[in-house]
């Protein structure tokens, strides 16, 4: 299996058409974990549409995989990518059961952010989190995302327009901190962080 990045326990790769059965099964068994924050693609048609979307010029999608087994532990997306002077996009992700709370999602999204700041050439990622999603906000604060604002009625989710808080992180500049001892950027994650937590 070819991975884009790995930390030894978790690796990231691009979703493929032949991942459909495993992805859909994982999404279905994780419905209660994700509700009411998001709805992952949970049938063949939705998965096909998801692949088409993340293959567009302004989107990029990743599977978060357990390195030992190759199983899909979650997924992450960067959407609304704009280059030019901004070089930014919107980050979202979700863990799948039974990997919620195991650290796989956090490690995987960390790899996605590092990939975005290097291979994709992005400078900024924004994660929009519903105010009631306390686990995601705590993790964002703990790992370095900054709260930049509040957007009422921002996204239509689960039958209603939902308020969101805007959290963001930017790529560290050399000599200004924000790097680990190995020179890789220190990055933060939001989303499903435990068996009772929710994704965006």
């Amino acid at each position: 299996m070819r991975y884009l990045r790995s930390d030894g326990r978790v690796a990231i790769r691009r979703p493929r058409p032949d991942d459909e059965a495993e992805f859909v099964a994982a999404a279905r068994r994780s419905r209660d974990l994700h509700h009411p924050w998001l709805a992952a693609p949970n049938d063949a048609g939705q998965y096909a549409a998801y692949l088409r979307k993340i293959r567009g010029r302004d989107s990029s999608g990743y599977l978060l995989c357990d390195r030992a087994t190759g199983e899909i532990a979650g997924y992450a997306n960067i959407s609304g990518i704009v280059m030019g002077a901004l070089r930014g996009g919107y980050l979202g992700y979700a863990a799948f059961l039974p990997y919620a709370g195991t650290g796989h999602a956090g490690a995987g999204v960390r790899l996605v952010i590092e990939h975005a700041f290097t291979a994709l050439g992005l400078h900024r990622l924004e994660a929009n989190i519903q105010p009631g999603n306390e686990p995601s906000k705590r993790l964002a604060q703990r790992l370095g995302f900054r709260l930049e604002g509040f957007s009422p009625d921002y996204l239509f989710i689960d039958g209603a327009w939902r308020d969101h808080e805007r959290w963001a992180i930017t790529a560290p500049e050399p000599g200004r901190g924000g790097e680990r001892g190995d020179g890789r950027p220190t990055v933060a994650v939001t989303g499903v962080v435990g068996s009772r937590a929710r994704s965006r």
Side-chain angles (χ1 to χ4, degrees):
M1 182 66 65
R2 182 180 179 183
Y3 293 108
L4 296 169
R5 285 178 177 255
S6 173
D7 70 357
R9 188 169 73 106
V10 179
I12 61 171
R13 65 175 176 85
R14 303 288 189 183
R16 305 181 308 242
D18 60 5
D19 292 314
E20 177 196 306
E22 182 182 359
F23 188 102
V24 166
R28 288 177 176 174
R29 68 172 174 264
S30 304
R31 279 174 175 164
D32 289 344
L33 176 69
H34 296 161
H35 185 267
W37 314 113
L38 65 78
N42 60 20
D43 64 33
Q46 291 178 15
Y47 183 75
Y50 166 67
L51 288 183
R52 288 193 297 271
K53 179 178 180 180
I54 62 173
R55 290 173 177 174
R57 296 181 63 182
D58 63 348
S59 298
S60 190
Y62 307 88
L63 298 182
L64 319 179
C65 301
D66 178 73
R67 191 70 173 85
T69 65
E71 291 181 348
I72 300 172
Y75 72 109
N77 308 310
I78 302 173
S79 61
I81 296 173
V82 176
M83 299 305 288
L86 178 63
R87 287 192 291 139
Y90 296 91
L91 174 69
Y93 91 91
F96 288 139
L97 294 173
Y99 289 99
T102 65
H104 284 71
V109 176
R110 182 182 299 278
L111 294 172
V112 169
I113 298 174
E114 291 176 355
H115 183 76
F117 285 165
T118 54
L120 298 187
L122 298 185
H123 171 72
R124 170 188 168 88
L125 289 171
E126 182 172 318
N128 294 288
I129 306 172
Q130 293 184 54
N133 192 346
E134 293 295 338
S136 292
K137 293 195 295 182
R138 286 195 298 269
L139 189 60
Q141 290 174 306
R142 185 166 67 247
L143 297 181
F145 271 88
R146 60 186 177 270
L147 177 61
E148 292 191 338
F150 177 81
S151 299
D153 297 339
Y154 183 65
L155 293 174
F156 193 80
I157 298 174
D158 196 38
W161 289 100
R162 308 292 181 180
D163 300 340
H164 282 72
E165 295 178 1
R166 299 192 310 277
W167 296 79
I169 189 170
T170 49
E173 295 183 28
R176 293 187 59 183
E179 292 186 351
R180 308 186 316 198
D182 58 5
R184 296 164 68 189
T186 298
V187 297
V189 301
T190 60
V192 177
V193 297
S195 59
R196 298 294 298 172
R198 308 295 192 189
S199 59
R200 298 192 316 126

